[in-house]
Each structure stands twice: as structure tokens, then as C-alpha cells.
Amino acid sequence: MSARILEVLAERAKGELGKVTGAVITVPAYFDDGQRQATKDAGRIAGLEVFRLLAEPTAAALAYGLDQAEGGQGLFAVYDLGGGTFDISILRLRDGVFQVLATGGDSALGGDDFDRALGAHLAALAGFDETRQPSPAQLQELALTSRAAKEALSDAETTTVTLEQCDLAATEVTRAQFEALIEALVKRTIKACRATLKDAGLAKAELDGVVLVGGSTRVPLVRRLVEKAFGKPPLADIDPDKVVAYGAAIQADILSGSAREGVTLLDVVPLSLGLETMGGLIEKIIPRNATIPIAARQVFTNYSEKQTGMTMHVVQGERELAEDCRSLARFELRGIPQLPPSMARVEVTFELDADALLTVTARELMTGVKQSIEVKPTHGLSDEEVDQLVMDSLDNAREDFAARNLAEARVEGGRVILAVRTALQEVGELPGMLEAEERAAIEAAIGEAEAAMATGGHADSVNAARERLEAVSEPFARRRMERALRAGMSGKTLVEIESTLAEEEALAERRGAHEAELLSDEDEPNQD
């Protein structure tokens, strides 16, 4: 359907320009990777080369020439209230670079709600209530009349309404009545504005301007409350229905070689992107509201010494467990050398390009084996789902972190149990290594740890059982290590031992320097 719409628009453009081969297409700021990719694919189906996907708030800023602001610096809010949705974006302009600092809004709020509020008022005047409902034809008349009255009240203080099918004679509706009906709705947008400013870490006094976008911003009450909320008159000189299209045209002009100085456009990630790790946990690699384009790397390690591959499960969302987030893609990296637990090193890179399309690459650092995938989901998230995912992460934060702590405790407990069991199997009945009484104590501690993990209790109880197992098995682990060291040094001269130790130390230093270089762009390395 999107491709069909774009085909019609391309035909209109051809009628004006004669030939059209490429396009700049605007998308809402909250569009995720799947929705952006679907938009780009629709452009290709329509026979267009999509040169750039441009976020709507950035397009509006371009239309108002904010990129030409004095000194090339500034902070701007873009208030976009359309018929069905509301979006607020905070932009920073610095040295010709537009950066989206934060986005927010209400995906279930728009001018249609204003129409419904006025329509409910007119229906009550016409005598409709719970016992007498309007027919489909009467509902249609109410809807069309309400919209016309709303638009009239944007320019006049009063308007006259007549509902012939609803038997309502000519009735005067004032702007004051209409504003009383919609005031609570408009204040919901102001609440979202304050929340987005907080996300951006800004106070309203720091903003240099506010831009109005969307037909519903013509309502006088909206403009008054926006001015009061931000402490400055909003920019509303350009037709709010066309301002985004003007911005897209300016960007297309720049890309086609215009003399106008180019502008760099930086959007943000609407939802965090990461990988599922052991225990069903999420390791977020690119956080929500990170600037696009962006590349982030993180090093992961193996769980078991028998492990020869890793399944990369790419997810999107704000929750702590994979089952509560949206699955984007899966792929496998094979050929990992069999190493003791936590010794293998797999570097995973997430890259988001200027159109917010995601490429994930995994590379094992010792062998160089590599696998990558370009994430092209078959379906995107609706704006309602994006908002719901963010709200769910806030509403369930306490429970999510408790679940994460428990899952992490189980993963660590499982690692210790696996290591101790492997060690017990290796030593078998070797003399002097393990007395029957000590083995029984270790087996009992393993049973206690497994029981704590199986009950689904609290992370503290799982950690306590693991720590008891570690304490009970520590003397055995020390004896096993000493035996391995003696075996490794048997038959070697002091010079050979010193040479081997020096080589291992140098190798460890080179490996540490290499990993430090790989992790230099990260806040901190992943634990497991």
C-alpha cells in the first residue's frame, strides 16, 4: 500500500518536473528499524531510489531555516500534533549538525479526539444518550459537522451548527465552549513535552525556539498552551500541513547539489537494541535515544568449554528479559575454538546507518571467523507499540530487575556447578586428591545449589548456595590446580620454566591490549 501511494506521488512529481528517479521520504521520529526498512522497500517497489529517510521533526526544522541559525548553534523543540498522533522532538543544532536529543509523544492523541469531544457535546444537545444512540448516518453527520466547526473556531469566536439528520436546529457554539471540551486533551500533550525535555536533560529556558507542525496546531488553545509551556511564542508562519514536505524538498535540493550549505542530520534510536545472553537476559548494546548513525561494539565470551558456536539473537526493547522484548533476527557464529569457560572472545558490532537500518556482525577474535546479518524485519512496530514498550519498561522496572538478578544468579550458579562437576569427573579416584567425606560434602553443596536454582526463589538464596559450594570446593580446586602446575613443570629446567612464564605473560599483555583497543568505544565490557 505504501508503494502504491508513493507511485501516485511520483506521477504527480513527474507532471511538474518531467522526470523523477529518486526521492527523500519523511518518516515519524519514532519509526523503528523495521518500519524504516519497509518504507525504503516501498520506495524501491514504486521505482524510486530512496536517497534519504528524513525524520519529520528534522524536516520541519529545515523548512524554518533553523540550520541557518546565528552562530550555527541552537536548541529547538518540534511540536507535531496531527489528526491521529502527537509527537514532540528536541533537536540540537551544532556546527551544521542536527541531532535529535529525545523524542516522545502520545500515539493515541490528535485532532480526531478534538472532533470526538465536540461531537459528543453536539450529540448531547441533540438528545442522544445511553438509551438513544445515533444511527450510522447520524454519526457521520456528527463527525463531519464537528470537524467543520472545529476548523471554523480556529478563525472565529463563534460558529453556527445545524444537524438536520439529528433534528438539531441551528445552534451557536463558541470557541470558549470548544476549548473547555478539549483543554484536558491539549494538557496531555504538554505533559509529554515536559517528559521529553527531561529526557533531553534540558530546561525550557534553554530552548531557542519551538516549531509547530500538523494541522491541529491551528487550534488557538494549542498555540496558547504551547507558548505558556515553553515560555516563548512558537514558530507557525509556514502551513503546518506542508512544513514537513518543504523540509524534505530542501534536503532533496541539498543532496542534488544545491549551492545551499549542506546539513548533517542525526536522529535517535527509538528503542534499545541488544543481544540475548545466557539465562534469557538482554545485553543492551545501543541504548534508546542514542544518536544515529552509530556503531557500538561489545565482547562476549563462552559459557562452556565444549562450546563451538554462538546463537546471536538480536532484540529490541526496554525490558530486562528477552521474552518481554521484540525479536528482530537470529543467526549463528560457528567455528569457535574449544576453550575453558570465559576464555573465548567474540566481538559483536551493531551498526545503524543514516537511515537507521541495522547490521549486526559477530567475529571470533582468535580465529577470525565472522558472520553478519542485515536486519530486515517483515513487519514493523506501530507507534502505539513503541509507546507501550517504553511504558511497560517503566511500569515493570522493579519486577524486571528482580527477574534479571535472579537470572544472572542462576547463570553464575550453573557455571560454578558445571565447573565443579567437570573437575570431579576429571580426578575420578586419583589418590590424595579427594577423600570420600569431602566428595560427599561437595556433592551435597551441588545438590543444594541446584535446588536453590530450581525453586525459582530469590537471587540472594541462589547466590548464597553458590557461595557455599565455592567455599566447600575451594580446597579441592586448589589441590587440583597445584597438581596441574606440578605436571606442567615436570621434567623442565628452571630456565625453561622461566621462559615459558615470560612468553605467557607477554601473550597475556598483548591480548589485554588488543581487548582494550576493541572495547575503547564502550562504557564497560560485558561480564559473560
Side-chain angles (χ1 to χ4, degrees):
M1 292 304 299
S2 295
R4 295 292 177 263
I5 293 169
L6 290 171
E7 283 178 357
V8 172
L9 294 175
E11 286 301 317
R12 292 182 184 178
K14 289 175 184 176
E16 294 290 332
L17 304 175
K19 182 181 179 182
V20 173
T21 58
V24 171
I25 303 177
T26 60
V27 294
Y30 54 76
F31 257 27
D32 69 357
D33 181 77
Q35 290 166 309
R36 288 171 183 264
Q37 183 62 53
T39 302
K40 207 166 187 178
D41 290 344
R44 284 195 285 265
I45 294 170
L48 296 169
E49 181 180 356
V50 182
F51 291 117
R52 177 67 57 85
L53 296 181
L54 182 62
E56 290 170 358
T58 308
L62 282 176
Y64 273 101
L66 300 186
D67 57 305
Q68 308 296 319
E70 186 177 351
Q73 313 287 333
L75 290 165
F76 304 95
V78 180
Y79 179 102
D80 185 351
L81 184 61
T85 64
F86 166 65
D87 301 296
I88 175 70
S89 300
I90 309 299
L91 309 182
R92 169 183 279 144
L93 172 66
R94 179 182 292 168
D95 299 326
V97 176
F98 264 125
Q99 178 183 3
V100 182
L101 297 182
T103 62
D106 191 328
S107 59
L109 176 60
D112 294 344
D113 296 288
F114 296 173
D115 298 348
R116 280 190 283 270
L118 181 55
H121 173 70
L122 296 177
L125 293 179
F128 293 110
D129 54 26
E130 294 181 357
T131 60
R132 178 176 175 248
Q133 295 291 318
S135 67
Q138 291 170 327
L139 278 174
Q140 183 178 27
E141 184 183 40
L142 279 167
L144 295 174
T145 303
S146 299
R147 179 171 181 174
K150 174 192 71 176
E151 293 173 352
L153 291 172
S154 292
D155 298 316
E157 291 293 333
T158 63
T159 187
T160 301
V161 172
T162 301
L163 296 171
E164 295 180 357
Q165 296 192 56
C166 299
D167 297 324
L168 181 65
T171 302
E172 184 180 85
V173 178
T174 68
R175 181 185 290 176
Q177 289 175 320
F178 174 59
E179 290 182 347
L181 293 170
I182 67 169
E183 184 174 9
L185 296 171
V186 180
K187 285 183 175 178
R188 276 171 56 187
T189 71
I190 302 303
K191 183 178 179 181
C193 291
R194 294 195 182 103
T196 306
L197 269 175
K198 186 176 180 181
D199 286 344
L202 297 173
K204 65 179 182 181
E206 297 179 76
L207 293 176
D208 296 293
V210 181
V211 176
L212 295 184
V213 180
S216 297
T217 60
R218 291 189 177 91
V219 175
L221 177 64
V222 171
R223 299 192 176 191
R224 290 203 309 274
L225 291 185
V226 168
E227 180 174 353
K228 181 179 178 182
F230 289 102
K232 50 181 60 66
L235 297 172
D237 302 332
I238 302 176
D239 183 341
D241 285 318
K242 298 179 180 178
V243 63
V244 169
Y246 288 150
I250 291 170
Q251 177 63 18
D253 187 43
I254 294 170
L255 293 175
S256 62
S258 166
R260 177 189 175 109
E261 187 176 348
V263 178
T264 304
L265 310 171
L266 301 177
D267 295 332
V268 295
V269 183
L271 292 169
S272 299
L273 296 164
L275 285 180
E276 179 181 359
T277 60
M278 282 296 296
L281 302 175
I282 295 300
E283 187 65 29
K284 293 173 184 174
I285 296 178
I286 296 180
R288 178 175 176 258
N289 277 336
T291 301
I292 299 171
I294 185 175
R297 294 174 292 175
Q298 199 146 311
V299 174
F300 294 82
T301 189
N302 59 323
Y303 180 78
S304 166
E305 62 185 13
K306 297 180 181 179
Q307 189 171 344
T308 60
M310 283 188 182
T311 297
M312 303 293 168
H313 181 200
V314 184
V315 295
Q316 182 178 44
E318 304 308 311
R319 303 288 292 275
E320 296 298 319
L321 301 180
E323 64 185 20
D324 297 320
C325 293
R326 180 183 182 233
S327 176
L328 290 183
R330 292 178 187 266
F331 67 98
E332 291 188 352
L333 177 68
R334 296 194 175 276
I336 297 174
Q338 292 190 27
L339 294 170
S342 301
M343 290 299 292
R345 292 290 182 268
V346 175
E347 180 192 60
V348 178
T349 303
F350 277 44
E351 292 182 274
L352 275 168
D353 65 15
D355 292 326
L357 302 181
L358 177 65
T359 300
V360 180
T361 303
R363 181 168 65 95
E364 202 283 314
L365 299 179
M366 184 176 294
T367 62
V369 295
K370 183 178 178 181
Q371 185 62 264
S372 65
I373 188 170
E374 183 175 320
V375 177
K376 294 183 178 180
T378 56
H379 65 282
L381 290 174
S382 68
D383 46 341
E384 292 91 346
E385 288 172 315
V386 171
D387 288 346
Q388 191 60 49
L389 285 170
V390 175
M391 292 306 299
D392 285 348
S393 72
L394 298 175
D395 294 340
N396 298 283
R398 188 182 300 275
E399 294 82 358
D400 282 357
F401 279 105
R404 183 184 183 92
N405 289 337
L406 178 59
E408 287 177 340
R410 284 174 169 167
V411 169
E412 184 63 13
R415 184 189 64 78
V416 172
I417 290 172
L418 178 61
V420 174
R421 282 200 183 282
T422 301
L424 290 175
Q425 291 172 0
E426 286 180 357
V427 301
E429 302 297 333
L430 287 176
M433 282 297 297
L434 195 61
E435 298 296 333
E437 184 177 340
E438 186 179 12
R439 178 184 285 272
I442 293 175
E443 293 282 5
I446 290 175
E448 181 183 345
E450 289 178 332
M453 291 171 59
T455 55
H458 197 274
D460 290 344
S461 62
V462 177
N463 286 328
R466 172 183 54 78
E467 290 168 1
R468 284 192 290 274
L469 172 59
E470 289 175 332
V472 170
S473 61
E474 193 271 336
F476 162 58
R478 187 169 58 250
R479 290 196 301 274
R480 181 169 173 264
M481 183 179 296
E482 290 171 352
R483 179 178 178 277
L485 287 172
R486 286 195 299 271
M489 290 186 284
S490 177
K492 292 185 178 179
T493 66
L494 180 60
V495 173
E496 289 174 330
I497 293 171
E498 289 177 343
S499 176
T500 300
L501 291 174
E503 289 177 1
E504 290 180 352
E505 184 176 350
L507 179 61
E509 288 180 357
R510 288 196 299 272
R511 182 182 297 165
H514 183 50
E515 289 179 8
E517 179 184 350
L518 289 171
L519 293 168
S520 61
D521 293 337
E522 299 299 317
D523 292 334
E524 59 181 17
N526 184 39
Q527 295 303 307
D528 255 352

